[in-house]
Amino acid sequence: MKIIVSVKQVPARDSNLRVASGGKWLDDSDLSYEINEPDAFALEEALQLKDAQGGEVVVVCAGPERAGSTIREALAKGADRGIHLVLPEDAVLDALSTARLLRHAVKNEAPDLILTGLQSDDLGYGQTGVVLAELLGYAHATIIMQVEVLDGALRVKRELEDGWFQYVTLPMPAVLAIQSGIKKLRYATLMGIKRAKMKPVETILAASLGLELGRAAIERVYLPARSKQSQILTGAPEQVAAQLVEKLKFEARVL
Amino acid sequence: MATTIADTTTAGRAPAQGAGFLFRAAAPEEVFTPEDLSEEQRAIAKTADEFWQSEVAPKLEAIQHQAPGVATALLRRAAELGLTSVVIPEEYGGMGLDFTSAAVVTEALGRDGSFAAWLGAHSGIGTLPLLFFGTEDQKQRYLPKLASGEMIAAYCLSEAHAGSDALAARTTAVLTEDGRHYRLNGQKMWITNGGAADLYTVFAKVNEKLTAFLVERRFPGVKQGAEEKKMGIKGSSTCAIYLDNVLVPVENRLGEPGRGHVIAFNILNLGRLTLGPGTVGSAKAVLAASLGYAKERVAFGKPIAGFGLIQHKLAEMAARTFASESVSYRVEGMVTKAAGELDWRDPAAGSRVLKAAEEFAIECSFVKVFASEVLDYVVDEGVQIHGGYGYHQDYLVERAYRDSRINRIFEGTNEINRLLATGMLLKRAQKNQIPLLEAVKKLQAQLLDPLSTAGGGKPAEGALAEQAKKVALFLLGISYMQFGPAIEQQQEVLAAISDVMMYAFVLESCVARTAKLGVRGRNAAAYTTLFAHQAMNEVERVAAEAVAVCSEGDTRRTNLAVLRKLTRREVADVVTLRREAAKRLVEHGKYLV
C-alpha cells in the first residue's frame, strides 16, 4: 500500500505568538516551528497502516526551506522518503494554491491513499485535503477517527457533532483528513533520527512549476477585542436561579 | 596599552589548547554555543523532551518516593528510544552518536535531580569506563545489555574514608593462586543506582594500586546496604556495596592492573562536563515554574511579577542560567572538537575522548563549579519567589532546592575543583605547556605603564573578560613571588585565582555567544551585561583578599591600587536591564535567549 501524507510546518504553540508590525501575519523574530498537530496524527495513522499492511509512506510538504526539518522528523518516525515543494520564506498560500502544489507532487506517484490533518493550526482553513481530492478526482472524507482497509476499499469512522459518529465506506484511491488525538503518537527514536539523514528527499522549487498561486491574501491579523460585561442578579435565591436559567438559555445559549 | 597580553604572547599556538583562554581572547566564531547545535541534535533534544513530558513528568512523585520499579522501568523505556546509549557504538547496540548529542539528552532529562542521577549513573559513569577501557570481549558481553537497559550500571569509587581523595581506598583485590580470579574485599559508599544495578565498576587496590573491575550483582559475596536517607535526590537509589570475598574472573579486570586511577580521574573529567547541561536543564525548569508562579500570584492587587525585587530575581536567574549554559556548551564543543570524528572501530577512539577531556580538565572543573553554584542560586531564588509555598513539598521548587545541593559535592567537591584548576595550571606552566611565566612578566611590565581599560574596540564586557584574565595573571605573579612552590599550601589563594579565571572564562563565553546571536538574541545582551556586573564584583572581592594575604605594608597598598585599576569599570544601569529582561521573560513564560 502506498500512502502519501501531506504535512505542514506551523508556528509552535508554545512559542511567543505576536502579530507582526504590518498586521498581516505573525512576528517571526522568535517563532519556533513544529509539525501541524493534526498532520502528526495523519502521519501516525499512515505509519500504523504501513506497519499492518506493508508498503511505503511518502511525506509531502509545501513550505519554505526551514520546513525541511519537519520532513526529516517524519522520516525519523518511519516515513520512507520525502518530497519538499520549496516556497519563499514569507509565502502564505490559500487552500487552492497549496492543493495545486500538492497535486503536482503526487500526480505521478499513483498512491492508494493520501492522508492529511483535517486543518492547519495556523490558518485553519480545513479545505486543503478536500480541494486536493477534487483536483485529483479521488474520493474523500474528513474528520476521520479510524481507518480500516477492506478489499480495495476503506471503511472510515467520521466524527460528527454531539458525540455522533458516521461510518463511511469509500473506494481507493482516496484522500482522508485526519482528526487530532486519534492515536498515541510515536517518538522519533535516536536511531530513526540518525537514519533519516540517509533517506531521500526530493526538493522542487514551487516557483519553477508555473502554477497560478496565491490569489487570496490576508488583510489583517489581530487579537480578538476583549469585552467584559457583568450583570448582578438580585432577589430571592429562587428568583435569581430562574433568571439565571432564562439568561443561560436565551442570551448565552449554553443550555 | 591597547593590545591584550594574549595578542603578543601566543602567536603560533594552537587556539584550542587547555587553559589557552588565559592567554588569548577567543573570537566568537571559535566558541561553540547552543545555537550551533545541528538539526539532528535538536531533533534528539525534542525526542528527549517529549519523553520527559509524557512519561517522566507524570511519574516524578512516584520516583521521589522510590515506588518500586518505576525509575528502572523509565530507564528501560528511555533505552528503547536510544536515550541511554547515545555514544555507545552501533555494533554494541548503541546509537553511535557524539558527546554533544548526549549533552542535549542530559539537559532535557536533567530537570529532576533524582531521574538525572539514575540516568547519569547508568549511561555516564556506569557505562563509559567499559566503553573507553574495556576489551572487545568485555564490550561484547556487557555493552549491548547496558544499551538496552537489560542491565543497569553503577560506579563504585567512594568509600567511607575515601571521597575526594579516591586513592585512599581500602578495598582490596588479590589474585587467587590459580590466577583465574581476583578476590575482592571491602565496602563502597554512596553508590548511585546501588540498589538496582546489575553491573558495578568497582575500584579496588591490587598491591596497593588502584585497579578497576566489572563486578556483576549476581557474583556471590556482593551485597547492597540499606537505602541512604538523603537530603535531596530522594528518588535516586544510593547505598553502600559490600564486597565479601567476591571472586571476580580475571577477564573482568578493566584496564591494566594499577591503572585504575587513570580510569577514575578521566571519567570524573567527563562527569564534571556533563554536570553542566544537567544543571542547566534543572535551572530552566525552576525558572519556568517561578515565572508561572510570579505571573499568577497576586499581592497588593497585582501579580508579583510586576514588582522590581521579583523582577530582579527572575532576570538574575535567567542571566546566570545563560552564563552556565554558554560555558557548558562551549567546553562541550572544545572537547568534542579536540576528540575529532569518533570511529569506534579504532581502539584509540576512547583514549582520544579522554585525552581531549584531560586537555580541558581546567575548563571542565570551571563548568562543574560554576554550573552547580548557578543552580543553587536559581533554586534559592525560586523558593523565595514562591514565598511560603516554596517551602511546601507540593511545589517543584522545594524539591529542586534540596536536589540541587548535591551538585556542589559530588564529582569532586567545588573546593577540590577550585584547587585542581589552579593546581593544574601551575603544573602545565612548570612543564612549559603554557606560556604562563611570559604572560605574567609581560603583564608586570605593562603595569608600569599608565593603564587603559579599553580593549581595542571590543564590546565592553569582552574587555572586562580580558581585564579579569589580567587579574588572574597578576595574582599568580604576586602569590608565586610571596610563597614560591609553597603556594600549593595556600588553598584560599589558589581558590581565589581559580575563581577569577573561572569568571573571566564564563564571561568570555557569554560575550562570544551574544555576538554570535546578534539580533536574534532578545535578552542575551542584557544577560551578558548583568553577568559581567556580577562577575567583576566577585573578581574584585576575591582578588582583594588574595592580594591582602600575599603582601603587606606599602606593597599591599600598591598591589591593591593595581587591582583597582585592573577592575576599573563603569557600572551599567543593571536595575533597568533586569526590569526589562524580566518583562520579556514573563511574557514568554520560560527561559528566553
Side-chain angles (χ1 to χ4, degrees):
Chain A
M1 190 169 193
K2 185 176 194 175
I3 307 169
I4 286 185
V5 184
S6 158
V7 301
K8 182 178 185 181
Q9 189 181 61
V10 296
R13 276 159 298 172
D14 69 347
S15 59
N16 198 6
L17 303 176
R18 291 173 308 173
V19 176
S21 56
K24 303 261 181 196
W25 192 236
L26 298 171
D27 177 355
D28 63 359
S29 61
D30 55 3
L31 279 187
S32 56
Y33 293 88
E34 65 185 4
I35 186 169
N36 179 42
E37 192 189 48
D39 296 348
F41 288 94
L43 174 66
E44 184 59 42
E45 184 65 47
L47 294 172
Q48 291 197 18
L49 286 170
K50 181 190 149 187
D51 290 345
Q53 313 270 331
E56 187 187 25
V57 172
V58 183
V59 56
V60 181
C61 177
E65 210 63 62
R66 58 172 157 75
S69 65
T70 291
I71 295 177
R72 278 181 292 279
E73 181 183 339
L75 297 176
K77 288 190 171 189
D80 298 284
R81 60 190 169 88
I83 302 173
H84 186 179
L85 296 144
V86 184
L87 293 167
E89 180 60 37
D90 54 353
V92 179
L93 296 186
D94 58 67
L96 177 60
S97 302
T98 307
R100 279 180 175 154
L101 278 173
L102 295 174
R103 174 182 62 170
H104 179 86
V106 306
K107 67 183 180 205
N108 299 324
E109 294 280 348
D112 299 297
L113 191 55
I114 298 177
L115 300 185
T116 183
L118 86 158
Q119 63 187 13
S120 58
D121 287 345
D122 56 353
L123 289 170
Y125 292 142
Q127 299 171 14
T128 308
V130 179
V131 176
L132 174 63
E134 285 298 322
L135 293 176
L136 290 165
Y138 289 5
H140 61 80
T142 56
I143 326 176
I144 303 300
M145 304 199 63
Q146 208 174 300
V147 182
E148 197 186 335
V149 179
L150 308 171
D151 200 11
L154 298 165
R155 185 166 182 269
V156 297
K157 179 183 176 185
R158 297 188 64 221
E159 184 179 11
L160 304 180
E161 286 181 347
D162 273 347
W164 285 82
F165 301 102
Q166 179 186 30
Y167 288 87
V168 181
T169 302
L170 65 167
M172 292 201 277
V175 177
L176 302 178
I178 304 289
Q179 172 67 298
S180 271
I182 60 166
K183 296 257 160 78
K184 191 168 160 23
L185 297 178
R186 69 189 62 196
Y187 297 101
T189 66
L190 268 57
M191 194 47 81
I193 292 168
K194 194 177 174 187
R195 296 270 183 271
K197 283 187 298 192
M198 324 291 271
K199 293 181 176 178
V201 177
E202 184 188 350
T203 54
I204 303 166
L205 279 178
S208 70
L209 299 176
L211 299 172
E212 192 188 345
L213 301 176
R215 295 281 299 272
I218 292 175
E219 274 305 309
R220 191 162 79 92
V221 176
Y222 57 96
L223 292 170
R226 220 181 257 185
S227 66
K228 192 162 127 186
Q229 292 173 320
S230 304
Q231 287 179 37
I232 308 233
L233 306 178
T234 51
E238 304 82 39
Q239 290 168 331
V240 171
Q243 279 182 54
L244 182 61
V245 169
E246 184 90 347
K247 283 178 183 297
L248 289 175
K249 264 189 181 160
F250 299 106
E251 286 180 29
R253 297 186 188 183
V254 292
L255 288 185
Chain B
M1 197 193 70
T3 54
T4 61
I5 288 172
D7 298 336
T8 48
T9 54
T10 58
R13 273 180 194 275
Q17 193 198 24
F21 71 91
L22 199 52
F23 312 103
R24 188 175 165 282
E29 53 275 17
E30 299 169 39
V31 174
F32 186 78
T33 72
E35 289 72 41
D36 296 320
L37 291 170
S38 68
E39 184 187 303
E40 183 179 89
Q41 286 156 346
R42 283 164 205 276
I44 289 168
K46 183 165 185 253
T47 293
D49 183 61
E50 286 171 1
F51 172 69
W52 173 271
Q53 299 291 355
S54 62
E55 303 196 39
V56 185
K59 300 267 172 65
L60 286 180
E61 207 47 37
I63 295 173
Q64 186 68 11
H65 295 101
Q66 298 210 342
V70 172
T72 48
L74 280 173
L75 261 192
R76 293 196 173 96
R77 181 80 183 104
E80 286 172 26
L81 303 179
L83 294 168
T84 61
S85 62
V86 181
V87 298
I88 296 180
E90 281 192 42
E91 56 265 44
Y92 305 111
M95 301 299 116
L97 293 161
D98 60 359
F99 278 84
T100 310
S101 301
V104 302
V105 171
T106 302
E107 183 182 326
L109 302 183
R111 276 174 267 193
D112 174 68
S114 296
F115 190 70
W118 279 100
L119 184 75
H122 173 67
S123 49
I125 54 177
T127 300
L128 294 180
L130 171 60
L131 175 62
F132 290 142
F133 297 96
T135 62
E136 183 55 36
D137 162 65
Q138 288 168 345
K139 290 196 265 192
Q140 295 274 4
R141 275 191 289 145
Y142 294 119
L143 274 183
K145 288 179 182 165
L146 295 177
S148 69
E150 185 187 334
M151 282 185 125
I152 289 172
Y155 179 80
C156 308
L157 178 63
S158 293
E159 295 186 9
H161 302 285
S164 292
D165 51 345
L167 295 179
R170 293 180 193 170
T171 300
T172 58
V174 178
L175 196 62
T176 54
E177 277 143 32
D178 60 8
R180 291 173 53 206
H181 291 86
Y182 285 93
R183 191 186 302 278
L184 267 63
N185 277 292
Q187 297 179 10
K188 291 290 173 181
M189 280 288 285
W190 311 120
I191 307 309
T192 306
N193 288 3
D198 307 286
L199 185 67
Y200 300 94
T201 302
V202 175
F203 291 84
K205 280 188 166 169
V206 177
N207 298 326
E208 297 299 312
K209 286 188 165 169
L210 211 59
T211 307
F213 296 90
L214 299 167
V215 179
E216 293 186 34
R217 174 200 194 97
R218 60 186 181 87
F219 290 173
V222 177
K223 274 203 208 83
Q224 289 116 10
E227 283 294 337
E228 305 290 356
K229 294 182 169 59
K230 307 186 294 281
M231 172 197 282
I233 56 168
K234 285 173 179 286
S236 68
S237 166
T238 310
C239 57
I241 301 294
Y242 302 106
L243 303 154
D244 181 15
N245 281 310
V246 180
L247 286 175
V248 177
V250 288
E251 304 87 73
N252 276 30
R253 190 192 70 221
L254 188 63
E256 294 303 307
R259 302 282 294 160
H261 63 285
V262 176
I263 301 179
F265 296 152
N266 281 313
I267 293 301
L268 272 177
N269 280 335
L270 283 179
R272 287 168 188 154
L273 181 53
T274 307
L275 195 137
T279 51
V280 167
S282 287
K284 288 180 184 175
V286 170
L287 177 60
S290 303
L291 285 166
Y293 186 84
K295 234 196 280 200
E296 296 293 317
R297 170 73 185 186
V298 173
F300 308 105
K302 70 176 187 176
I304 61 171
F307 293 116
L309 287 180
I310 300 295
Q311 292 172 342
H312 177 127
K313 297 181 195 308
L314 293 170
E316 283 293 330
M317 289 159 81
R320 295 185 198 188
T321 299
F322 175 81
S324 181
E325 182 182 49
S326 302
V327 73
S328 297
Y329 280 90
R330 177 182 185 187
V331 180
E332 191 68 52
M334 290 165 117
V335 172
T336 301
K337 194 173 167 215
E341 190 77 25
L342 289 182
D343 178 1
W344 290 100
R345 281 163 301 185
D346 172 6
S351 65
R352 277 221 308 280
V353 176
L354 293 176
K355 274 234 151 54
E358 200 186 352
E359 177 66 35
F360 294 105
I362 295 173
E363 288 83 352
C364 289
S365 282
F366 289 161
V367 168
K368 195 274 171 179
V369 171
F370 187 76
S372 61
E373 292 180 2
V374 163
L375 182 58
D376 254 8
Y377 172 82
V378 169
V379 296
D380 189 78
E381 292 291 41
V383 167
Q384 198 67 16
I385 289 169
H386 281 71
Y389 292 98
Y391 207 64
H392 194 289
Q393 302 209 334
D394 280 357
Y395 287 78
L396 176 146
V397 288
E398 185 273 343
R399 186 165 65 220
Y401 182 84
R402 286 181 289 101
D403 288 353
S404 170
R405 193 62 183 80
I406 188 63
N407 289 297
R408 281 165 52 200
I409 299 170
F410 61 21
E411 309 285 355
T413 62
N414 284 12
E415 290 71 24
I416 285 288
N417 272 285
R418 286 186 155 97
L419 298 177
L420 274 175
T422 311
M424 287 185 284
L425 184 86
L426 292 172
K427 264 192 202 129
R428 279 165 186 244
Q430 273 164 10
K431 290 186 190 164
N432 250 334
Q433 291 168 332
I434 48 170
L436 184 58
L437 193 62
E438 302 151 63
V440 170
K441 280 184 180 161
K442 173 105 187 161
L443 174 68
Q444 282 166 345
Q446 286 172 346
L447 289 175
L448 302 174
D449 294 337
L451 272 180
S452 147
T453 51
K458 289 195 202 77
E461 290 82 9
L464 288 176
E466 291 308 304
Q467 290 302 106
K469 292 178 191 179
K470 288 179 192 168
V471 172
L473 292 171
F474 175 62
L475 292 182
L476 281 159
I478 61 167
S479 60
Y480 203 80
M481 208 133 65
Q482 176 70 16
F483 300 109
I487 176 80
E488 286 180 21
Q489 309 303 319
Q490 303 292 321
Q491 292 201 335
E492 300 89 334
V493 177
L494 296 175
I497 295 170
S498 176
D499 278 354
V500 173
M501 292 195 292
M502 176 179 85
Y503 280 111
F505 183 66
V506 177
L507 178 54
E508 184 180 70
S509 311
C510 295
V511 171
R513 184 176 177 197
T514 303
K516 271 179 134 176
L517 270 162
V519 292
R520 286 180 301 153
R522 295 185 65 213
N523 264 357
Y527 295 154
T528 299
T529 306
L530 289 173
F531 179 67
H533 178 69
Q534 186 220 344
M536 292 311 288
N537 286 345
E538 280 299 302
V539 164
E540 196 168 13
R541 185 180 66 80
V542 300
E545 290 185 11
V547 164
V549 77
C550 288
S551 47
E552 51 189 13
D554 281 348
T555 319
R556 181 189 288 169
R557 276 188 286 279
T558 310
N559 285 341
L560 287 171
V562 169
L563 177 63
R564 272 194 300 277
K565 279 184 181 175
L566 285 174
T567 54
R568 185 188 294 155
R569 60 203 182 275
E570 232 170 79
V571 175
D573 178 6
V574 288
V575 172
T576 302
L577 279 175
R578 286 192 200 107
R579 285 179 191 159
E580 286 168 357
K583 274 181 196 144
R584 288 186 289 266
L585 283 163
V586 170
E587 183 195 48
H588 197 61
K590 58 182 183 181
Y591 176 68
L592 163 78
V593 174

